[in-house]
Amino acid sequence: MAIAVVSRTWGAVVQDCARLTGDIRNQGTFTAGTTTTGTDSNNERTPTAQDNAIVGDYLYFPSGTSAGTAREITTYGTIGVYTWIQAATAPDTTTTWIRLRRRPQVLLDAIDSVTRMAAFKQAVPYESRAIITNNLLGYQGTMEEFTSGTAVAPDGWTLAGAGSSVAREATTIGQGLYSTAVTAGAGAVATLTRTVPYSALRDLDGAALTLHGLVGENVAADGVIRVIVTSGTGTVTNTDRTGTYTGNRFEELKDISAATISLTDPAVGLQLQCRVALSAVVYFDDQALLSPKPIFNYELPPTLIGLEQTIYMESARNNGKFEVPLKYGENWSVIWQDGQGTTRSGVLLMHQALPSGRHLLVKGYRAPDLVTAATSNVEPNPEWLALAAAVHILESEPDNGNATRLQTLRQRLSFLEATAVGDVRKSRGIIWAESR
């Protein structure tokens, strides 16, 4: 069951956290400001003779112009006027402020820390269609995962070509949420390459592979899909599928040619390469090199940290109707696979062979994003986030007379985490695909 949560910005959560820790000394909305001053004589009425009660405190601006700014008060010479040294964007009549006894960065760090540590409790619902059954390219072939950034190659792909660039594309798409836009420079063809691990080829010597995928180009022949096979003697064989459409319309590779692609015997290398002509922009999506033999192990996308107990498979290839349920324990399970160095990834282990070329709809969870912009909404439940950060702060410092406050906050947090609001695991059986 979905839990309704009122959206709260990062700045508002900082303010809530400061209230819970007892750090707010005063608050209001500026009536005027410069790059080094802020004025609110409506709410700040402390006499200037008591300036030592204000100088050394900190300001944080939760919302409005200059939201997210934090400053230390250095002078208080006029009632309602704060002065600081480091220049910042001038606050105006939209800017809210809180005056704190604690450095705001402590609050920001605590919110960031508890968000990281409680990904299990505050995981966000997430759907993935990145896996295609029996695809030698893995989940990377569908180009849905850009964990290194939206202006770099998608996971598992390598960009080459002088002056070339790549970007995640959310408008011109053929399947799923994203495609990949590759732009070639004026001096070299751009290439985006996915290399199939050798371990996947060991039982496929001499086999015939089926190629599927989408290419979208503005000018015919600007985009080419090339399959590169390297034999045991080092002979390289290229098989190309050249786009024929115009107007950035997606074209199915099977409509260009339905011929299979033969591996040598032995085959020691296999790559799929998306190629773009000089100065052109071409869109690629949903690439698949289908093995004639069933694949049972599917590496899970790194964004997916947890799975619901039923996965759905397309009833026919690329029809988008996920009507075939696959049950945890009966049809699949999750195992761990150690990678190079210290990496460790979750692997979807199928208990039986599946038909080829079907997308899997994996309903699951991802870790919440670490929001840092004061005006952006946080992803964890905001009540939980403020409470957890406040407890984290008070637990990490010597007792400054806050023992009763800390005990009260712990009780509130414990009560919240006994419900699905504070811990998503309370409402669903989740199969975790990542250790934490």
Side-chain angles (χ1 to χ4, degrees):
M1 180 177 70
I3 304 298
V5 177
V6 177
S7 296
R8 296 282 278 172
T9 65
W10 168 272
V13 171
V14 173
Q15 185 168 346
D16 291 343
C17 180
R19 174 179 52 80
L20 293 169
T21 57
D23 286 318
I24 295 182
R25 294 180 181 268
N26 202 355
Q27 64 187 79
T29 302
F30 286 121
T31 57
T34 70
T35 58
T36 56
T37 66
T39 301
D40 182 6
S41 56
N42 295 324
N43 294 293
E44 185 57 81
R45 300 301 303 166
T46 303
T48 56
Q50 299 175 15
D51 63 339
N52 60 346
I54 292 182
V55 173
D57 278 359
Y58 301 93
L59 292 172
Y60 179 79
F61 307 159
S63 62
T65 298
S66 199
T69 296
R71 290 292 179 262
E72 182 178 357
I73 301 170
T74 56
T75 306
Y76 182 73
T78 303
I79 291 178
V81 179
Y82 304 125
T83 300
W84 52 85
I85 293 176
Q86 186 177 358
T89 301
D92 60 19
T93 56
T94 68
T95 308
T96 60
W97 58 270
I98 52 177
R99 177 162 62 86
L100 308 170
R101 68 178 181 87
R102 189 188 305 273
R103 188 179 296 276
Q105 190 61 48
V106 175
L107 302 170
L108 304 179
D109 290 345
I111 293 171
D112 182 277
S113 180
V114 297
T115 301
R116 292 177 185 274
M117 292 189 298
F120 272 177
K121 294 179 181 178
Q122 291 294 308
V124 179
Y126 176 77
E127 290 188 356
S128 172
R129 294 174 174 82
I131 296 175
I132 298 177
T133 55
N134 299 321
N135 187 3
L136 290 168
L137 302 178
Y139 75 83
Q140 295 91 341
T142 50
M143 301 179 175
E144 290 291 304
E145 295 286 327
F146 291 76
T147 55
S148 296
T150 59
V152 296
D155 291 8
W157 296 82
T158 302
L159 178 69
S164 62
S165 63
V166 63
R168 189 180 74 181
E169 171 62 34
T171 302
T172 305
I173 56 177
Q175 190 276 335
L177 297 178
Y178 309 112
S179 69
T180 298
V182 179
T183 302
V189 170
T191 61
L192 187 67
T193 305
R194 168 73 180 151
T195 300
V196 176
Y198 174 72
S199 58
L201 303 179
R202 296 184 63 184
D203 296 326
L204 296 178
D205 290 336
L209 309 181
T210 302
L211 176 63
H212 290 297
L214 297 167
V215 57
E217 56 197 349
N218 191 46
V219 177
D222 273 354
V224 176
I225 299 293
R226 172 172 291 178
V227 178
I228 305 170
V229 178
T230 303
S231 72
T233 60
T235 300
V236 176
T237 302
N238 296 331
T239 303
D240 289 353
R241 300 281 192 268
T242 302
T244 63
Y245 286 2
T246 60
N248 290 331
R249 294 174 296 156
F250 277 108
E251 183 176 12
E252 287 270 9
L253 297 182
K254 67 178 181 60
D255 294 335
I256 299 172
S257 172
T260 57
I261 296 170
S262 297
L263 292 178
T264 55
D265 186 3
V268 298
L270 177 63
Q271 294 179 318
L272 186 139
Q273 192 173 83
C274 304
R275 302 174 62 85
V276 179
L278 304 183
S279 304
V281 179
V282 178
Y283 303 92
F284 301 95
D285 202 356
D286 215 37
Q287 304 298 312
L289 264 177
L290 302 181
S291 167
K293 296 183 178 180
I295 295 175
F296 293 94
N297 289 5
Y298 296 89
E299 184 182 355
L300 289 166
T303 304
L304 195 68
I305 67 169
L307 294 75
E308 293 189 2
Q309 297 195 14
T310 301
I311 291 173
Y312 295 90
M313 182 175 67
E314 286 180 309
S315 54
R317 193 183 69 81
N318 285 340
N319 72 349
K321 296 180 180 180
F322 296 92
E323 300 172 325
V324 182
L326 303 173
K327 303 290 186 178
Y328 173 69
E330 178 182 348
N331 304 114
W332 60 273
S333 57
V334 172
I335 60 175
W336 298 103
Q337 174 176 284
D338 291 327
Q340 296 180 351
T342 59
T343 61
R344 194 176 188 221
S345 59
V347 175
L348 190 64
L349 173 62
M350 290 299 170
H351 296 175
Q352 68 278 315
L354 297 176
S356 287
R358 311 281 183 89
H359 291 88
L360 298 182
L361 172 60
V362 182
K363 294 185 177 182
Y365 293 84
R366 62 173 175 80
D369 286 339
L370 299 172
V371 177
T372 56
T375 55
S376 296
N377 288 335
V378 297
E379 290 202 324
N381 174 277
E383 181 184 2
W384 174 88
L385 187 56
L387 265 173
V391 169
H392 180 79
I393 290 170
L394 296 182
E395 285 181 337
S396 64
E397 64 183 13
D399 181 16
N400 293 322
N402 284 322
T404 301
R405 181 187 294 272
L406 177 57
Q407 181 180 5
T408 300
L409 294 181
R410 280 174 173 164
Q411 290 174 345
R412 288 178 58 184
L413 183 60
S414 178
F415 175 79
L416 193 63
E417 290 183 347
T419 71
V421 174
D423 190 341
V424 298
R425 296 171 296 185
K426 300 296 181 181
S427 61
R428 291 185 179 274
I430 302 172
I431 311 304
W432 296 106
E434 179 179 295
S435 60
R436 287 184 181 272

